[in-house]
Amino acid sequence: MKTPNKVIRTDKWRLNPTTDQKILFGETIKVYRQACRYLVGIIYTHWSELGCLTADKLTPAVERLMHQTAKRPDVKYPQFNQAFYKFPSYYRRAAIAFAAGQVSSYVTRYREWQSGTRKRRDTKPPRLNADTGCYPALYKGQCYKLHGFNQVEIKAFNGKDWIWTTVQITELRERHACASNKMMSPSLIFNERYCHLSVPFTCKPEKRKPEANVTAVDLGINTTATIAVVTHSGTVIHREFIHPGKDIDRRDKRLKSVSMRASKTMGKGGKLHKGFCSKTYDKCRRINHQIGHVVSKRIVDIAKEFNSEAIVFENLKGWKPKGGKKRSNLRQRFHGWLKAKIRDFTEMKWAELGGKVVEVVAAYTSKLAYDGSGTVKRNSKKYSLATFSSGKRFNADLNGAYNIGARGVFKLTRRNDGEGHSSKNSGRPPRSWACLCDLWATVSQ
């Protein structure tokens, strides 16, 4: 296997500030954002000279415009030091980096708009937004000091001066305990609802020595995820169904209330106002986010337990649902299908451990019987049940997971085979439509 690349992941370290510390953090965020707004104007005014500089040269160039020192008493914008008295140097440099990013993004988007790269012909030009909800990056030793992993000392503004204050860390994850992970500069996140440190880590996964098996995942609407661990010889050594029904019921119950409220609001011919039930939709999105994390974490745990070579998914990009009769909720159930979210979350978690995700052709994974007996017939009353031509009845999602695992093994072991190409024998299906029985055939040869 290739040596894995570095991966950036962020942990949330919850803080428990006192009432006085909340006031300090509020003042710190306020003065930092004021400094960022001030610097955005300076950098945009001189962008013709600053835009061509690298990041390490841009910061001192901006400081020469607005920061007075004993050796540099005359600057073009002396108001900065007057307005932000004793502003710490590392906070200032963090603000310069953020303001430069804002200006660079605006200039790039404006040039694209001028060149005609727009979603619509009447799209309005982008605006330079200097009033953004930014949070300060903290540099070690200058802006924060860690005392173990129970307390952190942060430099904060009390309205007149910058002082150090010690805050308790009440909750943190496990990335700091890994010796190969390198902690980067955290950001202080503080508002009316939250107070935590957003701590990024550079994760360098160890080189893996996987076993000869893959973890296949079939994502469905009846069962959220069906897992099958398939060896290169075609043996299924583990299978599992993941379906967080409690969270799904919470989400569906809220969505059902939306339709009831809409019918009462509109009557027979009314219209819904903009932002109707927006808080309910936000809550449902957060529930979906939680479901995605719960399911993806379990998938990665299974792959880690069996030391799988890869996690295999169907390639469902661009797939759109077809179906749903009148007064049927099938189309709504497809909208609640978290196929992309679960796949993306799984890839992020698995990449941190040095693993890889493989995608295979989705065609006929559930329609072909894994034992090679031909196509299956789905039960009209219980669609999750499939009947083979031999009369055997089997779970359709599990049958699909077996075939997905077989295709994943073939993709890993037969790299020269082109997916989607037909076999030379015109009477046979494409090679990418492999089933579990094809793995058995390769072992017996």
Side-chain angles (χ1 to χ4, degrees):
M1 291 182 65
K2 295 181 180 179
T3 304
N5 297 323
K6 291 182 180 179
V7 179
I8 305 296
R9 293 290 181 266
T10 304
D11 276 0
K12 181 190 291 186
W13 292 7
R14 294 189 183 275
L15 304 179
N16 185 23
T18 63
T19 304
D20 293 337
Q21 288 174 336
K22 288 180 180 179
I23 296 173
L24 289 178
F25 292 157
E27 289 292 330
T28 304
I29 301 296
K30 181 180 177 181
V31 71
Y32 178 80
R33 290 178 177 176
Q34 290 174 349
C36 288
R37 287 197 296 270
Y38 194 97
L39 289 167
V40 165
I42 295 175
I43 294 173
Y44 180 61
T45 303
H46 298 272
W47 187 250
S48 56
E49 302 96 37
L50 300 174
C52 58
L53 299 178
T54 58
D56 56 339
K57 293 182 180 180
L58 186 140
T59 300
V62 175
E63 287 183 333
R64 285 194 292 270
L65 292 170
M66 38 66 70
H67 180 52
Q68 293 174 316
T69 62
K71 295 182 179 180
R72 190 174 59 229
D74 298 324
V75 293
K76 191 167 185 178
Y77 302 97
Q79 301 88 349
F80 185 87
N81 281 13
Q82 298 169 9
F84 304 100
Y85 183 62
K86 289 187 177 181
F87 198 74
S89 59
Y90 281 86
Y91 276 118
R92 181 179 66 247
R93 287 163 189 168
I96 290 173
F98 174 80
Q102 288 291 106
V103 174
S104 177
S105 173
Y106 163 74
V107 171
T108 302
R109 289 182 288 112
Y110 190 81
R111 286 174 181 170
E112 288 179 354
W113 179 85
Q114 279 187 319
S115 64
T117 307
R118 311 175 192 176
K119 291 184 178 180
R120 301 191 313 270
R121 292 182 63 184
D122 59 343
T123 300
K124 294 182 180 180
R127 295 181 178 181
L128 178 59
N129 182 18
D131 188 13
T132 57
C134 57
Y135 296 99
L138 309 179
Y139 292 91
K140 188 175 182 180
Q142 303 293 330
C143 302
Y144 82 98
K145 299 174 184 177
L146 269 180
H147 301 293
F149 292 102
N150 299 319
Q151 293 180 332
V152 59
E153 201 173 353
I154 300 175
K155 184 176 281 189
F157 188 60
N158 64 1
K160 295 181 179 180
D161 200 2
W162 292 85
I163 61 173
W164 289 95
T165 180
T166 303
V167 195
Q168 294 292 326
I169 301 174
T170 57
E171 183 181 340
L172 67 166
R173 293 184 64 181
E174 70 284 347
R175 288 193 178 100
H176 65 280
C178 183
S180 60
N181 292 347
K182 183 181 178 182
M183 181 177 168
M184 303 168 71
S185 297
S187 296
L188 174 62
I189 311 298
F190 177 80
N191 52 39
E192 294 178 354
R193 297 178 61 189
Y194 305 109
C195 183
H196 64 264
L197 291 178
S198 180
V199 188
F201 287 89
T202 302
C203 306
K204 190 175 182 181
E206 297 179 359
K207 192 173 181 179
R208 300 179 66 246
K209 294 181 180 179
E211 303 291 336
N213 67 67
V214 298
T215 299
V217 184
D218 181 81
L219 301 174
I221 58 173
N222 296 310
T223 304
T224 306
T226 306
I227 316 297
V229 181
V230 183
T231 66
H232 286 198
S233 61
T235 304
V236 179
I237 58 177
H238 180 77
R239 59 185 185 178
E240 187 172 322
F241 298 94
I242 306 174
H243 190 70
K246 183 178 179 181
D247 292 329
I248 293 172
D249 289 343
R250 286 197 302 132
R251 179 198 65 192
D252 293 345
K253 186 177 180 180
R254 284 173 170 80
L255 291 175
K256 185 65 177 177
S257 70
V258 171
S259 62
M260 294 174 63
R261 280 179 279 175
S263 63
K264 292 180 180 179
T265 303
M266 291 190 300
K268 293 184 178 180
K271 291 184 178 179
L272 296 176
H273 63 82
K274 187 177 180 181
F276 178 77
C277 290
S278 59
K279 291 185 178 179
T280 303
Y281 283 119
D282 287 342
K283 179 63 176 178
C284 292
R285 276 191 286 270
R286 291 194 292 271
I287 294 174
N288 282 339
H289 199 79
Q290 171 70 10
I291 294 171
H293 276 300
V294 169
V295 175
S296 61
K297 184 178 185 301
R298 182 55 192 154
I299 293 171
V300 171
D301 287 344
I302 293 172
K304 185 179 178 181
E305 178 184 350
F306 291 92
N307 195 19
S308 297
E309 188 176 354
I311 297 176
V312 187
F313 285 94
E314 295 172 292
N315 187 354
L316 297 171
K317 291 180 181 178
W319 186 89
K320 293 183 179 180
K322 295 179 182 178
K325 296 180 181 180
K326 193 173 182 180
R327 302 183 186 279
S328 169
N329 67 341
L330 182 60
R331 204 172 278 272
Q332 182 180 353
R333 291 176 67 193
F334 272 122
H335 281 298
W337 190 19
L338 307 177
K339 60 183 192 307
K341 193 181 291 290
I342 293 173
R343 186 228 175 269
D344 292 343
F345 286 171
T346 302
E347 185 173 18
M348 287 190 292
K349 291 179 174 67
W350 190 229
E352 190 176 344
L353 299 176
K356 61 181 177 179
V357 171
V358 174
E359 289 185 331
V360 297
V361 174
Y364 286 82
T365 51
S366 298
K367 198 168 185 179
L368 293 175
Y370 73 88
D371 60 0
S373 59
T375 58
V376 302
K377 186 178 180 181
R378 303 291 281 268
N379 191 315
S380 58
K381 293 183 179 180
K382 192 175 182 181
Y383 199 68
S384 61
L385 196 63
T387 305
F388 294 3
S389 58
S390 60
K392 177 181 178 179
R393 294 204 286 183
F394 201 75
N395 185 279
D397 295 328
L398 193 58
N399 175 66
Y402 286 0
N403 292 334
I404 292 168
R407 295 180 188 186
V409 171
F410 279 124
K411 190 165 186 177
L412 291 170
T413 57
R414 299 183 178 182
R415 300 184 185 279
N416 294 328
D417 280 3
E419 280 199 322
H421 297 291
S422 299
S423 173
K424 292 182 179 179
N425 185 351
S426 59
R428 297 182 60 192
R431 288 194 297 267
S432 58
W433 292 5
C435 299
L436 187 64
C437 61
D438 296 323
L439 278 181
W440 303 338
T442 57
V443 175
S444 62
Q445 288 176 356

